[in-house]
Amino acid sequence: MPDQFVKFPRRESIVFFEKAMNTHNRVSGYKCLSDSYYEIYRDELPTIRVFVANYYALSVADYYDIVSDYEVDCLVTISNWNRVTQDAYELGKSNGVGVFKMGEFLGALNYARPCTYIRPIDQEDNGRR
């Protein structure tokens, strides 16, 4: 897969992300700071910086690649078939950075600190213990 379709999503994925931000009930607006990098303004919650990627499986190496270049509160892998490795999720959480698939990110937008959002898959695991 060409690199531009790994780190940076295709245009239609960016349009999907922006449309989701325009219709989310917690988002009051956003500003595109550069390719795939956004500042999201939220009603009654702090502004956050988000990097939108298209990694098939967002890993620890991908996490470091992004946070070395961008100041982020959240990393989002955009496509529905993409995923986040458990190690990347836990590393982000320990550093105060939410690492999410798009659907998870939409839920995390409702939290003052999105990194505190517990993904549904982790809620299910906790229920089994």
Side-chain angles (χ1 to χ4, degrees):
M1 184 179 296
D3 190 48
Q4 73 260 23
F5 295 118
V6 177
K7 187 171 186 176
F8 299 102
R10 296 185 315 193
R11 182 70 196 139
E12 60 265 24
S13 295
I14 292 297
V15 168
F16 169 74
F17 176 81
E18 291 176 355
K19 187 175 186 178
M21 294 305 96
N22 284 328
T23 59
H24 195 283
N25 63 351
R26 185 60 84 170
V27 175
S28 58
Y30 65 87
K31 179 180 179 183
C32 184
L33 302 174
S34 66
D35 289 342
S36 299
Y37 187 43
Y38 290 86
E39 196 165 69
I40 308 292
Y41 310 107
R42 302 178 299 158
D43 292 328
E44 301 178 20
L45 292 174
T47 297
I48 57 173
R49 290 193 175 191
V50 178
F51 187 88
V52 181
N54 192 31
Y55 291 107
Y56 179 71
L58 200 150
S59 69
V60 168
D62 303 324
Y63 171 89
Y64 282 123
D65 181 44
I66 294 167
V67 299
S68 68
D69 292 335
Y70 300 90
E71 181 182 328
V72 296
D73 299 293
C74 297
L75 305 180
V76 179
T77 187
I78 189 76
S79 297
N80 287 333
W81 54 84
N82 291 356
R83 66 184 194 88
V84 174
T85 67
Q86 189 66 25
D87 290 342
Y89 171 73
E90 290 173 7
L91 176 64
K93 195 170 192 82
S94 70
N95 290 319
V97 175
V99 183
F100 305 111
K101 295 183 342 184
M102 183 62 181
E104 297 163 347
F105 174 66
L106 294 175
L109 281 169
N110 294 299
Y111 288 70
R113 294 185 62 229
C115 66
T116 63
Y117 173 79
I118 299 174
R119 303 174 310 167
I121 191 169
D122 295 320
Q123 292 173 359
E124 294 167 13
D125 289 346
N126 288 334
R128 290 186 208 136
R129 294 181 187 163

